[in-house]
């Protein structure tokens, strides 16, 4: 699953470690989410969206090509 977490995080000058700490997971988990190799829970998706000041759609919605 592709997502916009990494792009959004980098634009806000936040490190994986900072985001992970702020949402209560490990840096490795954030890395896996950004690569699309980990499906986060809805509550984690919401926490990430709030932290990055984006909507769930903006971060996680898949647009079909």
């Amino acid at each position: 699953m592709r997502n916009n977490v990494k792009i959004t995080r980098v634009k806000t000058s936040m490190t994986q470690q900072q985001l992970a700490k702020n949402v209560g997971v490990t840096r490795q988990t954030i890395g896996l989410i950004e690569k699309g190799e980990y499906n986060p829970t809805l509550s984690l998706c919401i926490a990430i969206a709030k932290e990055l000041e984006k909507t769930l759609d903006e971060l996680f919605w898949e647009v079909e090509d």
Side-chain angles (χ1 to χ4, degrees):
M1 179 178 90
R2 292 185 329 213
N3 62 63
N4 294 316
V5 175
K6 182 174 184 175
I7 294 166
T8 305
R9 178 183 57 76
V10 169
K11 283 182 181 177
T12 63
S13 301
M14 188 180 294
T15 66
Q16 284 184 343
Q17 186 63 47
Q18 289 169 322
L19 179 57
K21 181 180 179 207
N22 293 346
V23 299
V25 297
T26 65
R27 182 196 59 76
Q28 290 83 354
T29 299
I30 296 298
L32 291 173
I33 291 168
E34 289 181 351
K35 288 191 275 184
E37 296 176 6
Y38 179 87
N39 287 326
T41 63
L42 180 57
S43 61
L44 180 53
C45 289
I46 292 169
I48 291 170
K50 284 183 178 178
E51 191 61 36
L52 295 175
E53 298 181 349
K54 295 290 182 183
T55 66
L56 290 175
D57 281 359
E58 289 171 322
L59 292 179
F60 297 104
W61 191 257
E62 288 193 47
V63 177
E64 293 186 23
D65 297 330

